[in-house]
Amino acid sequence: MTNTKWTGFVGTYTKGESEGVYSFVLDTDKEKIMNVQLVANLENPTYLAICKDNKNLYAVAKEGEQGGVVGFRIDENTHKLVELNKGFTAGTSPCYVATNSDGSLLTAAYYHRGTVELYTLNEDGSLNELKSTVAHEGKGPNPERQEKPHTHYADFTPDEKYVVAVDLGIDQLITYEIVQNELVKKQTLSLHPGCGPRHLTFHPNGHGRYAYLMTEISSEVIVLEYHHEDGSFKEIQYISTIPEDFQENNQGSAIHITSDGKFVYVSNRGHNSIAIFQVDGDTGMLSLVDFVSSEGDWPRDFILDPSENYLVGSNQESNNLVLYKRDKNSGKLTLLQKDVKVGHPVCVKFMK
């Protein structure tokens, strides 16, 4: 018998009614999101990562003049969060956090600092002292958004040999090799000036031969060829995530690919939509399938549930989660529920 209830977590901005990290249950029999509850009282836990074995959750957070990462154990029966420890340093908090598959390493990307941090993790999931910090240099052509480096993403490549950082401020993709728990710069790819890259996802087939990069400023997906031998990337396509006639402010946000590698989904803040793209199995290139309304304002993130029959979106400024049913053949989304209240939701993650 298949498990029809999936537990998810939501990271938020703690303003208005929001107080930290929330959990919810997706009941696939009823096709509803239920049981939203506060599980960790934290300041601005805007991004979350869950370990592959479901034992630990990590949240970015700030505390006074410090920012960093808080480690939690997920109670296996209640799915409540039990705090383990914190890794904080002076300055702003990160905007992205990720762990490797065996739960031994954690990366954090700091937007305001323009840095990437690498932590080692203990067996119980608690954080060790910081092992490595790298700082980016330079600026981009957009004076308001690219006055200095702004690291927006740092995560492991599929073979976990490298950490790839995406820097919105300098329009670069930087590959670091992990050498004795130190980040050593290996490759740099400069993208179209002013595109403002944000988040990256790898194609699931064969070492992630292709990767898909969402840009925030230019609202495009950049299709990349990835060479796992040396950690380098090559651009093969730029495709817009908004309709040609849309002239208002839009900022690209999240990007995710299905586990069969057939569809890429992205969210548009401003156009307030989720764009659906089909992946060409031979070339890795994208073609637009559809736009669907985000059913709210400023869709910061979304996630596919573990069965990939559903997609859950988060609208930061209208304080709601949205549930869609997904057609696995066409990639299209059908609205099921849009009235799930969560204050200023940012990041959505499911237990594996």
Side-chain angles (χ1 to χ4, degrees):
M1 188 171 150
T2 56
N3 175 10
T4 55
K5 289 189 172 129
W6 304 110
T7 297
F9 293 90
V10 188
T12 69
Y13 275 113
T14 47
K15 49 188 180 179
E17 292 179 7
S18 175
E19 295 179 67
V21 181
Y22 291 80
S23 69
F24 65 89
V25 173
L26 169 59
D27 187 321
T28 59
D29 283 349
K30 295 178 178 167
E31 297 194 317
K32 280 187 81 166
I33 292 172
M34 304 156 70
N35 302 355
V36 176
Q37 52 187 313
L38 180 70
V39 286
N41 210 295
L42 281 181
E43 188 176 351
N44 289 348
T46 53
Y47 207 84
L48 311 173
I50 297 173
C51 269
K52 201 173 180 180
D53 63 8
N54 287 332
K55 286 181 179 169
N56 299 101
L57 179 146
Y58 299 90
V60 309
K62 75 186 285 270
E63 202 171 80
E65 299 302 304
Q66 295 195 313
V69 180
V70 183
F72 294 92
R73 177 173 62 80
I74 303 172
D75 185 289
E76 60 183 321
N77 299 313
T78 65
H79 297 159
K80 295 263 197 278
L81 299 182
V82 181
E83 187 175 313
L84 294 169
N85 69 342
K86 298 170 181 171
F88 280 180
T89 49
T92 55
S93 54
C95 64
Y96 189 94
V97 63
T99 62
N100 63 347
S101 59
D102 70 2
S104 63
L105 294 172
L106 177 143
T107 61
Y110 285 78
Y111 179 85
H112 294 287
R113 301 188 202 182
T115 60
V116 179
E117 291 185 348
L118 182 72
Y119 284 87
T120 55
L121 299 172
N122 297 311
E123 259 186 54
D124 68 350
S126 57
L127 295 121
N128 270 319
E129 74 279 5
L130 187 58
K131 284 295 176 192
S132 183
T133 304
V134 288
H136 297 164
E137 293 175 354
K139 59 182 183 177
N142 184 315
E144 290 171 12
R145 302 294 315 279
Q146 299 184 308
E147 79 293 356
K148 63 175 188 174
H150 288 300
T151 317
H152 216 309
Y153 166 104
D155 210 332
F156 299 89
T157 55
D159 61 8
E160 301 192 338
K161 196 168 142 190
Y162 305 106
V163 167
V164 180
V166 175
D167 198 304
L168 181 147
I170 57 176
D171 298 315
Q172 283 185 356
L173 201 59
I174 303 167
T175 306
Y176 294 96
E177 193 168 8
I178 305 163
V179 182
Q180 294 175 328
N181 296 330
E182 293 285 332
L183 295 170
V184 179
K185 189 190 279 192
K186 181 90 172 169
Q187 303 282 351
T188 302
L189 176 68
S190 293
L191 305 155
H192 286 179
C195 69
R198 179 185 169 95
H199 275 195
L200 181 75
T201 188
F202 284 89
H203 196 285
N205 300 357
H207 292 294
R209 188 171 137 222
Y210 299 108
Y212 300 88
L213 180 58
M214 181 69 173
T215 70
E216 180 169 322
I217 298 174
S218 66
S219 302
E220 294 170 295
V221 178
I222 307 171
V223 182
L224 302 159
E225 207 170 72
Y226 171 60
H227 303 280
H228 67 93
E229 303 83 7
D230 63 359
S232 65
F233 292 87
K234 178 185 166 198
E235 300 146 286
I236 51 178
Q237 184 189 18
Y238 281 71
I239 184 168
S240 178
T241 68
I242 49 173
E244 273 178 39
D245 58 1
F246 186 78
Q247 299 299 320
E248 294 160 55
N249 170 44
N250 188 72
Q251 294 179 25
S253 47
I255 181 165
H256 297 289
I257 190 167
T258 54
S259 61
D260 61 9
K262 290 180 178 174
F263 296 98
V264 167
Y265 295 83
V266 304
S267 48
N268 290 302
R269 298 171 294 177
H271 186 247
N272 289 344
S273 65
I274 293 172
I276 305 161
F277 295 93
Q278 188 155 16
V279 179
D280 185 296
D282 296 323
T283 65
M285 288 166 68
L286 300 182
S287 53
L288 181 70
V289 173
D290 199 13
F291 295 104
V292 63
S293 169
S294 71
E295 303 295 341
D297 187 19
W298 218 245
R300 182 68 176 254
D301 196 15
F302 62 89
I303 195 77
L304 294 161
D305 81 303
S307 74
E308 299 192 358
N309 290 317
Y310 301 91
L311 184 146
V312 177
S314 62
N315 290 299
Q316 183 184 313
E317 296 306 314
S318 51
N319 307 305
N320 67 314
L321 300 183
V322 183
L323 177 64
Y324 304 87
K325 182 115 181 209
R326 190 177 87 88
D327 185 311
K328 287 187 174 178
N329 295 315
S330 69
K332 292 193 174 185
L333 302 174
T334 306
L335 178 68
L336 293 173
Q337 192 182 10
K338 62 178 180 181
D339 58 352
V340 183
K341 287 284 171 222
V342 177
H344 299 282
V346 178
C347 172
V348 194
K349 294 284 186 203
F350 275 104
M351 291 178 71
K352 314 288 189 288

